[in-house]
């Protein structure tokens, strides 16, 4: 029996994003790949936002930290 993996970005959400971007149909493998890639990108943005807040002498990550991190 195949092992079920938990995704931080649910596959239904990944499919919805891809369809909103213009896809008519989305394969299961594409949903999984998209979910994994988005998770990696989000984690990198989170790490950068955390570094920015620490550099600014704060413990709390703020909205502008996240937005700045996403632009880099």
């Amino acid at each position: 029996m195949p092992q079920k993996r938990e995704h931080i970005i649910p596959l239904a959400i990944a499919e919805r994003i891809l369809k909103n971007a213009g896809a008519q149909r989305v394969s299961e493998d594409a949903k999984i790949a998209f979910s994994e890639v988005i998770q990696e990108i989000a984690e990198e943005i989170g790490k950068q936002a955390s570094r920015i807040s620490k550099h600014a002498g704060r413990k709390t990550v703020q909205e502008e930290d996240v937005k700045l991190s996403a632009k880099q």
Side-chain angles (χ1 to χ4, degrees):
M1 180 172 244
Q3 185 176 358
K4 194 170 189 173
R5 294 175 40 189
E6 183 177 325
H7 301 277
I8 292 178
I9 307 295
L11 298 183
I13 301 298
E15 180 178 23
R16 188 177 320 141
I17 293 168
L18 288 165
K19 284 189 172 186
N20 286 345
Q24 290 184 356
R25 295 172 53 187
V26 182
S27 73
E28 194 69 21
D29 288 342
K31 292 179 217 177
I32 292 168
F34 188 78
S35 175
E36 290 171 352
V37 168
I38 293 299
Q39 179 178 335
E40 290 174 16
I41 293 168
E43 287 175 358
E44 197 54 45
I45 290 170
K47 287 176 188 175
Q48 182 64 20
S50 180
R51 286 192 288 268
I52 291 170
S53 68
K54 287 178 184 172
H55 180 73
R58 293 183 272 107
K59 292 182 181 180
T60 303
V61 173
Q62 296 180 347
E63 177 183 1
E64 61 267 16
D65 302 332
V66 175
K67 288 182 177 182
L68 181 61
S69 298
K71 288 182 181 181
Q72 295 180 357

Short mmCIF file of all heavy atoms in Angstrom, two decimals:
data_model
loop_
_atom_site.label_atom_id
_atom_site.label_comp_id
_atom_site.label_asym_id
_atom_site.label_seq_id
_atom_site.Cartn_x
_atom_site.Cartn_y
_atom_site.Cartn_z
N MET A 1 0.85 -1.19 0.00
CA MET A 1 0.00 0.00 0.00
C MET A 1 0.89 1.24 0.00
O MET A 1 1.80 1.35 0.80
CB MET A 1 -0.90 -0.04 1.24
CG MET A 1 -1.84 1.14 1.37
SD MET A 1 -3.02 0.90 2.71
CE MET A 1 -4.49 0.87 1.74
N PRO A 2 0.64 2.20 -0.90
CA PRO A 2 1.47 3.41 -0.96
C PRO A 2 1.37 4.22 0.32
O PRO A 2 0.30 4.33 0.92
CB PRO A 2 0.90 4.20 -2.14
CG PRO A 2 -0.15 3.37 -2.76
CD PRO A 2 -0.41 2.20 -1.89
N GLN A 3 2.51 4.79 0.70
CA GLN A 3 2.55 5.61 1.91
C GLN A 3 2.01 6.99 1.58
O GLN A 3 2.39 7.61 0.60
CB GLN A 3 3.99 5.72 2.41
CG GLN A 3 4.12 6.46 3.71
CD GLN A 3 5.56 6.45 4.19
OE1 GLN A 3 6.43 5.86 3.57
NE2 GLN A 3 5.81 7.10 5.30
N LYS A 4 1.10 7.49 2.41
CA LYS A 4 0.51 8.81 2.20
C LYS A 4 1.41 9.85 2.85
O LYS A 4 1.77 9.73 4.01
CB LYS A 4 -0.89 8.85 2.81
CG LYS A 4 -1.71 10.02 2.38
CD LYS A 4 -3.14 9.86 2.81
CE LYS A 4 -3.97 10.94 2.17
NZ LYS A 4 -5.37 10.77 2.41
N ARG A 5 1.79 10.88 2.08
CA ARG A 5 2.66 11.93 2.58
C ARG A 5 1.84 13.15 2.94
O ARG A 5 0.88 13.47 2.26
CB ARG A 5 3.69 12.30 1.53
CG ARG A 5 4.64 11.17 1.25
CD ARG A 5 5.58 11.45 0.13
NE ARG A 5 6.08 12.81 0.12
CZ ARG A 5 6.77 13.33 -0.86
NH1 ARG A 5 7.04 12.61 -1.92
NH2 ARG A 5 7.19 14.56 -0.82
N GLU A 6 2.25 13.80 4.00
CA GLU A 6 1.59 15.04 4.40
C GLU A 6 2.28 16.21 3.71
O GLU A 6 3.50 16.27 3.63
CB GLU A 6 1.67 15.22 5.91
CG GLU A 6 0.95 16.45 6.40
CD GLU A 6 0.99 16.56 7.91
OE1 GLU A 6 0.95 15.53 8.59
OE2 GLU A 6 1.07 17.69 8.39
N HIS A 7 1.49 17.10 3.19
CA HIS A 7 2.01 18.27 2.50
C HIS A 7 1.62 19.52 3.28
O HIS A 7 0.47 19.67 3.68
CB HIS A 7 1.46 18.35 1.08
CG HIS A 7 1.79 17.16 0.24
ND1 HIS A 7 3.00 17.03 -0.40
CD2 HIS A 7 1.10 16.03 -0.02
CE1 HIS A 7 3.03 15.88 -1.03
NE2 HIS A 7 1.90 15.25 -0.82
N ILE A 8 2.56 20.41 3.48
CA ILE A 8 2.26 21.67 4.16
C ILE A 8 1.31 22.48 3.30
O ILE A 8 0.35 23.07 3.79
CB ILE A 8 3.55 22.44 4.48
CG1 ILE A 8 4.33 21.68 5.55
CG2 ILE A 8 3.24 23.86 4.93
CD1 ILE A 8 5.64 22.29 5.94
N ILE A 9 1.56 22.53 1.99
CA ILE A 9 0.63 23.14 1.05
C ILE A 9 -0.27 22.01 0.56
O ILE A 9 0.19 21.15 -0.20
CB ILE A 9 1.36 23.79 -0.16
CG1 ILE A 9 2.45 24.76 0.28
CG2 ILE A 9 0.36 24.44 -1.11
CD1 ILE A 9 1.97 25.98 1.01
N PRO A 10 -1.53 21.98 0.99
CA PRO A 10 -2.41 20.88 0.57
C PRO A 10 -2.52 20.79 -0.95
O PRO A 10 -2.47 21.80 -1.65
CB PRO A 10 -3.76 21.25 1.19
CG PRO A 10 -3.43 22.16 2.32
CD PRO A 10 -2.20 22.92 1.88
N LEU A 11 -2.65 19.57 -1.44
CA LEU A 11 -2.68 19.35 -2.88
C LEU A 11 -3.87 20.04 -3.54
O LEU A 11 -3.76 20.51 -4.68
CB LEU A 11 -2.66 17.86 -3.19
CG LEU A 11 -1.43 17.11 -2.70
CD1 LEU A 11 -1.48 15.65 -3.13
CD2 LEU A 11 -0.15 17.77 -3.18
N ALA A 12 -4.99 20.13 -2.85
CA ALA A 12 -6.15 20.82 -3.41
C ALA A 12 -5.85 22.31 -3.61
O ALA A 12 -6.27 22.90 -4.61
CB ALA A 12 -7.36 20.65 -2.50
N ILE A 13 -5.11 22.88 -2.69
CA ILE A 13 -4.72 24.29 -2.82
C ILE A 13 -3.74 24.45 -3.97
O ILE A 13 -3.83 25.40 -4.76
CB ILE A 13 -4.11 24.82 -1.50
CG1 ILE A 13 -5.09 24.68 -0.34
CG2 ILE A 13 -3.61 26.25 -1.66
CD1 ILE A 13 -6.37 25.46 -0.50
N ALA A 14 -2.79 23.53 -4.08
CA ALA A 14 -1.82 23.58 -5.19
C ALA A 14 -2.56 23.51 -6.52
O ALA A 14 -2.26 24.27 -7.45
CB ALA A 14 -0.82 22.43 -5.06
N GLU A 15 -3.53 22.63 -6.61
CA GLU A 15 -4.32 22.50 -7.85
C GLU A 15 -5.08 23.79 -8.13
O GLU A 15 -5.11 24.27 -9.27
CB GLU A 15 -5.29 21.33 -7.74
CG GLU A 15 -6.14 21.15 -8.98
CD GLU A 15 -7.08 19.97 -8.89
OE1 GLU A 15 -7.42 19.53 -7.77
OE2 GLU A 15 -7.48 19.48 -9.95
N ARG A 16 -5.69 24.38 -7.11
CA ARG A 16 -6.45 25.61 -7.30
C ARG A 16 -5.55 26.74 -7.81
O ARG A 16 -5.92 27.50 -8.70
CB ARG A 16 -7.13 26.02 -5.99
CG ARG A 16 -8.08 27.19 -6.19
CD ARG A 16 -8.85 27.60 -4.95
NE ARG A 16 -9.30 26.47 -4.17
CZ ARG A 16 -9.30 26.43 -2.83
NH1 ARG A 16 -8.87 27.48 -2.15
NH2 ARG A 16 -9.73 25.38 -2.19
N ILE A 17 -4.35 26.84 -7.23
CA ILE A 17 -3.41 27.89 -7.67
C ILE A 17 -3.04 27.68 -9.14
O ILE A 17 -3.04 28.63 -9.92
CB ILE A 17 -2.15 27.90 -6.78
CG1 ILE A 17 -2.51 28.35 -5.36
CG2 ILE A 17 -1.07 28.80 -7.38
CD1 ILE A 17 -1.40 28.14 -4.34
N LEU A 18 -2.73 26.45 -9.50
CA LEU A 18 -2.36 26.16 -10.89
C LEU A 18 -3.53 26.43 -11.85
O LEU A 18 -3.33 26.98 -12.94
CB LEU A 18 -1.88 24.71 -11.01
CG LEU A 18 -0.51 24.45 -10.39
CD1 LEU A 18 -0.27 22.96 -10.23
CD2 LEU A 18 0.58 25.09 -11.21
N LYS A 19 -4.73 26.09 -11.43
CA LYS A 19 -5.90 26.35 -12.28
C LYS A 19 -6.17 27.85 -12.39
O LYS A 19 -6.52 28.35 -13.45
CB LYS A 19 -7.12 25.60 -11.77
CG LYS A 19 -7.05 24.12 -12.11
CD LYS A 19 -8.35 23.41 -11.81
CE LYS A 19 -8.29 21.99 -12.35
NZ LYS A 19 -9.57 21.30 -12.21
N ASN A 20 -5.99 28.58 -11.28
CA ASN A 20 -6.16 30.03 -11.32
C ASN A 20 -5.12 30.67 -12.24
O ASN A 20 -5.36 31.75 -12.78
CB ASN A 20 -6.06 30.64 -9.93
CG ASN A 20 -7.29 30.38 -9.09
OD1 ASN A 20 -8.33 29.98 -9.59
ND2 ASN A 20 -7.16 30.56 -7.79
N ALA A 21 -3.99 30.00 -12.41
CA ALA A 21 -2.93 30.50 -13.28
C ALA A 21 -3.18 30.12 -14.74
O ALA A 21 -2.40 30.50 -15.61
CB ALA A 21 -1.58 29.96 -12.82
N GLY A 22 -4.24 29.36 -15.00
CA GLY A 22 -4.60 29.05 -16.38
C GLY A 22 -4.61 27.59 -16.77
O GLY A 22 -5.01 27.27 -17.89
N ALA A 23 -4.17 26.70 -15.90
CA ALA A 23 -4.17 25.27 -16.24
C ALA A 23 -5.61 24.75 -16.32
O ALA A 23 -6.43 25.07 -15.47
CB ALA A 23 -3.39 24.47 -15.20
N GLN A 24 -5.89 23.96 -17.35
CA GLN A 24 -7.22 23.36 -17.45
C GLN A 24 -7.31 22.09 -16.61
O GLN A 24 -8.32 21.84 -15.96
CB GLN A 24 -7.56 23.04 -18.90
CG GLN A 24 -7.80 24.29 -19.72
CD GLN A 24 -8.22 23.98 -21.14
OE1 GLN A 24 -8.28 22.82 -21.54
NE2 GLN A 24 -8.53 25.01 -21.89
N ARG A 25 -6.24 21.31 -16.66
CA ARG A 25 -6.17 20.08 -15.87
C ARG A 25 -4.80 20.01 -15.22
O ARG A 25 -3.82 20.52 -15.76
CB ARG A 25 -6.39 18.86 -16.76
CG ARG A 25 -7.78 18.83 -17.36
CD ARG A 25 -7.96 17.74 -18.38
NE ARG A 25 -7.58 16.44 -17.83
CZ ARG A 25 -7.51 15.33 -18.56
NH1 ARG A 25 -7.76 15.36 -19.84
NH2 ARG A 25 -7.17 14.19 -18.00
N VAL A 26 -4.73 19.34 -14.05
CA VAL A 26 -3.47 19.24 -13.31
C VAL A 26 -3.30 17.79 -12.86
O VAL A 26 -4.17 17.24 -12.18
CB VAL A 26 -3.48 20.18 -12.08
CG1 VAL A 26 -2.15 20.10 -11.34
CG2 VAL A 26 -3.78 21.62 -12.49
N SER A 27 -2.18 17.19 -13.22
CA SER A 27 -1.92 15.81 -12.81
C SER A 27 -1.57 15.74 -11.33
O SER A 27 -1.17 16.74 -10.72
CB SER A 27 -0.76 15.21 -13.63
OG SER A 27 0.47 15.77 -13.22
N GLU A 28 -1.70 14.58 -10.77
CA GLU A 28 -1.37 14.36 -9.35
C GLU A 28 0.11 14.66 -9.11
O GLU A 28 0.46 15.29 -8.11
CB GLU A 28 -1.71 12.92 -8.94
CG GLU A 28 -1.74 12.69 -7.46
CD GLU A 28 -2.90 13.40 -6.76
OE1 GLU A 28 -3.89 13.75 -7.40
OE2 GLU A 28 -2.80 13.60 -5.53
N ASP A 29 0.97 14.21 -10.02
CA ASP A 29 2.41 14.48 -9.88
C ASP A 29 2.72 15.97 -9.92
O ASP A 29 3.59 16.45 -9.19
CB ASP A 29 3.21 13.76 -10.98
CG ASP A 29 3.26 12.25 -10.78
OD1 ASP A 29 2.99 11.78 -9.66
OD2 ASP A 29 3.56 11.54 -11.76
N ALA A 30 2.00 16.70 -10.75
CA ALA A 30 2.20 18.15 -10.84
C ALA A 30 1.78 18.82 -9.54
O ALA A 30 2.45 19.75 -9.07
CB ALA A 30 1.42 18.73 -12.01
N LYS A 31 0.68 18.38 -8.95
CA LYS A 31 0.23 18.94 -7.67
C LYS A 31 1.28 18.73 -6.59
O LYS A 31 1.60 19.64 -5.83
CB LYS A 31 -1.08 18.30 -7.22
CG LYS A 31 -2.27 18.62 -8.05
CD LYS A 31 -3.48 17.88 -7.49
CE LYS A 31 -4.38 17.40 -8.57
NZ LYS A 31 -5.51 16.62 -8.07
N ILE A 32 1.82 17.52 -6.55
CA ILE A 32 2.84 17.19 -5.54
C ILE A 32 4.09 18.03 -5.76
O ILE A 32 4.62 18.62 -4.82
CB ILE A 32 3.16 15.68 -5.56
CG1 ILE A 32 1.94 14.88 -5.08
CG2 ILE A 32 4.39 15.36 -4.73
CD1 ILE A 32 2.03 13.38 -5.32
N ALA A 33 4.56 18.10 -7.00
CA ALA A 33 5.76 18.87 -7.30
C ALA A 33 5.56 20.34 -6.97
O ALA A 33 6.43 20.98 -6.37
CB ALA A 33 6.14 18.70 -8.78
N PHE A 34 4.41 20.90 -7.35
CA PHE A 34 4.13 22.31 -7.09
C PHE A 34 4.10 22.57 -5.59
O PHE A 34 4.70 23.54 -5.10
CB PHE A 34 2.79 22.70 -7.72
CG PHE A 34 2.49 24.17 -7.66
CD1 PHE A 34 3.10 25.04 -8.55
CD2 PHE A 34 1.61 24.67 -6.73
CE1 PHE A 34 2.83 26.40 -8.51
CE2 PHE A 34 1.34 26.03 -6.68
CZ PHE A 34 1.94 26.90 -7.57
N SER A 35 3.46 21.68 -4.84
CA SER A 35 3.38 21.82 -3.38
C SER A 35 4.78 21.82 -2.76
O SER A 35 5.09 22.65 -1.90
CB SER A 35 2.55 20.68 -2.80
OG SER A 35 2.54 20.70 -1.40
N GLU A 36 5.64 20.92 -3.22
CA GLU A 36 7.00 20.83 -2.68
C GLU A 36 7.83 22.07 -3.03
O GLU A 36 8.56 22.59 -2.19
CB GLU A 36 7.68 19.56 -3.20
CG GLU A 36 7.08 18.29 -2.61
CD GLU A 36 7.58 17.01 -3.28
OE1 GLU A 36 8.29 17.09 -4.32
OE2 GLU A 36 7.25 15.92 -2.77
N VAL A 37 7.71 22.54 -4.26
CA VAL A 37 8.47 23.72 -4.69
C VAL A 37 8.02 24.95 -3.92
O VAL A 37 8.84 25.74 -3.44
CB VAL A 37 8.33 23.93 -6.21
CG1 VAL A 37 8.86 25.29 -6.63
CG2 VAL A 37 9.05 22.83 -6.97
N ILE A 38 6.71 25.13 -3.77
CA ILE A 38 6.18 26.28 -3.04
C ILE A 38 6.63 26.23 -1.58
O ILE A 38 6.97 27.25 -0.99
CB ILE A 38 4.64 26.34 -3.15
CG1 ILE A 38 4.23 26.64 -4.57
CG2 ILE A 38 4.04 27.34 -2.17
CD1 ILE A 38 4.73 27.97 -5.10
N GLN A 39 6.66 25.04 -0.99
CA GLN A 39 7.12 24.90 0.39
C GLN A 39 8.58 25.34 0.51
O GLN A 39 8.94 26.07 1.44
CB GLN A 39 6.96 23.46 0.87
CG GLN A 39 7.45 23.27 2.29
CD GLN A 39 7.25 21.86 2.80
OE1 GLN A 39 6.38 21.14 2.32
NE2 GLN A 39 8.04 21.47 3.77
N GLU A 40 9.43 24.91 -0.43
CA GLU A 40 10.84 25.30 -0.40
C GLU A 40 11.00 26.81 -0.51
O GLU A 40 11.79 27.42 0.21
CB GLU A 40 11.60 24.61 -1.53
CG GLU A 40 11.77 23.11 -1.35
CD GLU A 40 12.39 22.44 -2.56
OE1 GLU A 40 12.95 23.14 -3.43
OE2 GLU A 40 12.29 21.21 -2.66
N ILE A 41 10.25 27.41 -1.42
CA ILE A 41 10.31 28.87 -1.60
C ILE A 41 9.85 29.58 -0.34
O ILE A 41 10.49 30.53 0.12
CB ILE A 41 9.48 29.29 -2.83
CG1 ILE A 41 10.11 28.76 -4.11
CG2 ILE A 41 9.31 30.81 -2.88
CD1 ILE A 41 9.23 28.87 -5.34
N ALA A 42 8.75 29.11 0.24
CA ALA A 42 8.20 29.73 1.45
C ALA A 42 9.18 29.62 2.61
O ALA A 42 9.35 30.58 3.39
CB ALA A 42 6.87 29.10 1.81
N GLU A 43 9.84 28.49 2.75
CA GLU A 43 10.81 28.32 3.83
C GLU A 43 12.00 29.27 3.65
O GLU A 43 12.49 29.84 4.63
CB GLU A 43 11.27 26.87 3.92
CG GLU A 43 10.21 25.95 4.49
CD GLU A 43 10.61 24.48 4.48
OE1 GLU A 43 11.71 24.14 3.99
OE2 GLU A 43 9.81 23.67 4.96
N GLU A 44 12.43 29.45 2.41
CA GLU A 44 13.55 30.36 2.15
C GLU A 44 13.15 31.81 2.46
O GLU A 44 13.93 32.55 3.06
CB GLU A 44 14.01 30.23 0.70
CG GLU A 44 15.37 30.81 0.45
CD GLU A 44 16.46 30.28 1.37
OE1 GLU A 44 16.54 29.06 1.59
OE2 GLU A 44 17.24 31.11 1.89
N ILE A 45 11.95 32.19 2.10
CA ILE A 45 11.45 33.53 2.43
C ILE A 45 11.37 33.69 3.95
O ILE A 45 11.74 34.73 4.49
CB ILE A 45 10.08 33.80 1.77
CG1 ILE A 45 10.26 33.94 0.25
CG2 ILE A 45 9.41 35.05 2.35
CD1 ILE A 45 8.95 33.98 -0.53
N GLY A 46 10.90 32.67 4.63
CA GLY A 46 10.81 32.71 6.10
C GLY A 46 12.17 32.87 6.75
O GLY A 46 12.33 33.65 7.69
N LYS A 47 13.16 32.13 6.25
CA LYS A 47 14.52 32.24 6.80
C LYS A 47 15.08 33.65 6.61
O LYS A 47 15.66 34.23 7.52
CB LYS A 47 15.45 31.22 6.14
CG LYS A 47 15.21 29.79 6.56
CD LYS A 47 16.10 28.85 5.78
CE LYS A 47 15.74 27.41 6.03
NZ LYS A 47 16.53 26.49 5.18
N GLN A 48 14.88 34.18 5.40
CA GLN A 48 15.38 35.52 5.10
C GLN A 48 14.67 36.56 5.95
O GLN A 48 15.30 37.49 6.48
CB GLN A 48 15.22 35.84 3.61
CG GLN A 48 15.75 37.18 3.21
CD GLN A 48 17.26 37.32 3.38
OE1 GLN A 48 17.99 36.34 3.46
NE2 GLN A 48 17.72 38.53 3.47
N ALA A 49 13.35 36.43 6.12
CA ALA A 49 12.59 37.37 6.94
C ALA A 49 13.06 37.33 8.39
O ALA A 49 13.17 38.36 9.06
CB ALA A 49 11.10 37.06 6.86
N SER A 50 13.38 36.14 8.87
CA SER A 50 13.89 36.00 10.23
C SER A 50 15.25 36.68 10.38
O SER A 50 15.49 37.38 11.37
CB SER A 50 14.01 34.52 10.57
OG SER A 50 14.51 34.34 11.86
N ARG A 51 16.11 36.52 9.36
CA ARG A 51 17.42 37.18 9.40
C ARG A 51 17.26 38.71 9.40
O ARG A 51 17.97 39.41 10.12
CB ARG A 51 18.28 36.74 8.22
CG ARG A 51 18.84 35.34 8.35
CD ARG A 51 19.91 35.05 7.31
NE ARG A 51 19.38 34.90 5.97
CZ ARG A 51 19.01 33.74 5.42
NH1 ARG A 51 19.11 32.62 6.12
NH2 ARG A 51 18.55 33.69 4.20
N ILE A 52 16.33 39.21 8.61
CA ILE A 52 16.10 40.66 8.55
C ILE A 52 15.63 41.18 9.90
O ILE A 52 16.12 42.21 10.37
CB ILE A 52 15.08 41.00 7.44
CG1 ILE A 52 15.70 40.75 6.06
CG2 ILE A 52 14.58 42.44 7.56
CD1 ILE A 52 14.71 40.81 4.91
N SER A 53 14.69 40.48 10.54
CA SER A 53 14.19 40.95 11.84
C SER A 53 15.29 40.91 12.90
O SER A 53 15.40 41.84 13.71
CB SER A 53 12.97 40.13 12.29
OG SER A 53 13.34 38.81 12.60
N LYS A 54 16.13 39.89 12.88
CA LYS A 54 17.24 39.82 13.83
C LYS A 54 18.24 40.94 13.59
O LYS A 54 18.74 41.55 14.53
CB LYS A 54 17.92 38.45 13.75
CG LYS A 54 17.11 37.34 14.35
CD LYS A 54 17.80 35.99 14.21
CE LYS A 54 16.88 34.91 14.75
NZ LYS A 54 17.39 33.56 14.47
N HIS A 55 18.52 41.21 12.31
CA HIS A 55 19.44 42.29 11.96
C HIS A 55 18.90 43.65 12.46
O HIS A 55 19.68 44.52 12.85
CB HIS A 55 19.65 42.34 10.45
CG HIS A 55 20.58 43.41 10.01
ND1 HIS A 55 21.94 43.35 10.22
CD2 HIS A 55 20.35 44.59 9.39
CE1 HIS A 55 22.51 44.45 9.75
NE2 HIS A 55 21.56 45.23 9.23
N ALA A 56 17.59 43.79 12.45
CA ALA A 56 16.96 45.03 12.91
C ALA A 56 16.81 45.06 14.44
O ALA A 56 16.28 46.02 14.99
CB ALA A 56 15.59 45.19 12.27
N GLY A 57 17.30 44.01 15.12
CA GLY A 57 17.26 43.96 16.58
C GLY A 57 15.90 43.55 17.13
O GLY A 57 15.59 43.83 18.29
N ARG A 58 15.10 42.87 16.30
CA ARG A 58 13.78 42.42 16.74
C ARG A 58 13.72 40.91 16.79
O ARG A 58 14.42 40.22 16.07
CB ARG A 58 12.70 42.92 15.76
CG ARG A 58 12.52 44.40 15.74
CD ARG A 58 11.39 44.83 14.80
NE ARG A 58 11.90 45.02 13.43
CZ ARG A 58 11.70 44.20 12.41
NH1 ARG A 58 10.96 43.12 12.56
NH2 ARG A 58 12.21 44.45 11.23
N LYS A 59 12.84 40.41 17.65
CA LYS A 59 12.57 38.98 17.72
C LYS A 59 11.35 38.63 16.87
O LYS A 59 11.17 37.48 16.48
CB LYS A 59 12.30 38.54 19.16
CG LYS A 59 13.52 38.62 20.05
CD LYS A 59 13.20 38.13 21.44
CE LYS A 59 14.41 38.22 22.34
NZ LYS A 59 14.12 37.75 23.71
N THR A 60 10.54 39.62 16.58
CA THR A 60 9.30 39.41 15.85
C THR A 60 9.48 39.71 14.37
O THR A 60 9.95 40.79 14.00
CB THR A 60 8.18 40.33 16.41
OG1 THR A 60 8.04 40.07 17.81
CG2 THR A 60 6.86 40.09 15.71
N VAL A 61 9.10 38.76 13.53
CA VAL A 61 9.11 38.98 12.08
C VAL A 61 7.88 39.80 11.75
O VAL A 61 6.77 39.48 12.17
CB VAL A 61 9.08 37.63 11.32
CG1 VAL A 61 8.91 37.86 9.83
CG2 VAL A 61 10.33 36.82 11.60
N GLN A 62 8.08 40.87 11.02
CA GLN A 62 6.98 41.76 10.68
C GLN A 62 6.66 41.69 9.19
O GLN A 62 7.43 41.13 8.40
CB GLN A 62 7.32 43.19 11.09
CG GLN A 62 7.48 43.33 12.59
CD GLN A 62 7.82 44.73 13.03
OE1 GLN A 62 8.18 45.58 12.22
NE2 GLN A 62 7.72 44.99 14.33
N GLU A 63 5.53 42.26 8.85
CA GLU A 63 5.04 42.24 7.46
C GLU A 63 6.11 42.71 6.48
O GLU A 63 6.35 42.07 5.44
CB GLU A 63 3.79 43.10 7.34
CG GLU A 63 3.23 43.20 5.94
CD GLU A 63 2.02 44.12 5.85
OE1 GLU A 63 1.62 44.71 6.87
OE2 GLU A 63 1.50 44.24 4.73
N GLU A 64 6.75 43.82 6.79
CA GLU A 64 7.74 44.36 5.85
C GLU A 64 8.94 43.42 5.68
O GLU A 64 9.56 43.40 4.61
CB GLU A 64 8.19 45.77 6.25
CG GLU A 64 8.86 45.87 7.60
CD GLU A 64 7.92 46.20 8.76
OE1 GLU A 64 6.70 46.09 8.61
OE2 GLU A 64 8.43 46.58 9.82
N ASP A 65 9.28 42.64 6.71
CA ASP A 65 10.36 41.67 6.60
C ASP A 65 10.01 40.60 5.56
O ASP A 65 10.84 40.23 4.73
CB ASP A 65 10.62 40.98 7.95
CG ASP A 65 10.96 41.94 9.06
OD1 ASP A 65 11.52 43.03 8.77
OD2 ASP A 65 10.67 41.62 10.23
N VAL A 66 8.78 40.13 5.61
CA VAL A 66 8.32 39.10 4.68
C VAL A 66 8.28 39.66 3.26
O VAL A 66 8.76 39.03 2.31
CB VAL A 66 6.94 38.56 5.10
CG1 VAL A 66 6.41 37.57 4.06
CG2 VAL A 66 7.02 37.89 6.47
N LYS A 67 7.73 40.86 3.10
CA LYS A 67 7.63 41.45 1.77
C LYS A 67 9.01 41.72 1.17
O LYS A 67 9.23 41.46 -0.01
CB LYS A 67 6.80 42.74 1.82
CG LYS A 67 5.33 42.47 2.04
CD LYS A 67 4.53 43.74 2.05
CE LYS A 67 3.05 43.45 2.20
NZ LYS A 67 2.24 44.68 2.18
N LEU A 68 9.92 42.21 1.98
CA LEU A 68 11.28 42.44 1.50
C LEU A 68 11.96 41.13 1.10
O LEU A 68 12.64 41.05 0.08
CB LEU A 68 12.10 43.17 2.58
CG LEU A 68 13.54 43.52 2.22
CD1 LEU A 68 13.60 44.44 1.01
CD2 LEU A 68 14.23 44.17 3.41
N SER A 69 11.76 40.12 1.91
CA SER A 69 12.35 38.81 1.63
C SER A 69 11.82 38.21 0.33
O SER A 69 12.55 37.58 -0.42
CB SER A 69 12.05 37.83 2.77
OG SER A 69 12.64 38.29 3.96
N ALA A 70 10.54 38.42 0.07
CA ALA A 70 9.92 37.87 -1.14
C ALA A 70 10.44 38.54 -2.40
O ALA A 70 10.46 37.94 -3.47
CB ALA A 70 8.41 37.99 -1.05
N LYS A 71 10.88 39.80 -2.28
CA LYS A 71 11.37 40.54 -3.44
C LYS A 71 12.79 40.14 -3.84
O LYS A 71 13.21 40.37 -4.95
CB LYS A 71 11.34 42.04 -3.16
CG LYS A 71 9.95 42.61 -3.15
CD LYS A 71 9.99 44.09 -2.91
CE LYS A 71 8.58 44.65 -2.86
NZ LYS A 71 8.59 46.11 -2.65
N GLN A 72 13.53 39.55 -2.92
CA GLN A 72 14.94 39.22 -3.18
C GLN A 72 15.09 37.94 -3.97
O GLN A 72 14.42 37.07 -4.03
CB GLN A 72 15.70 39.11 -1.87
CG GLN A 72 15.75 40.43 -1.16
CD GLN A 72 16.52 40.37 0.16
OE1 GLN A 72 16.98 39.33 0.58
NE2 GLN A 72 16.66 41.51 0.79
#
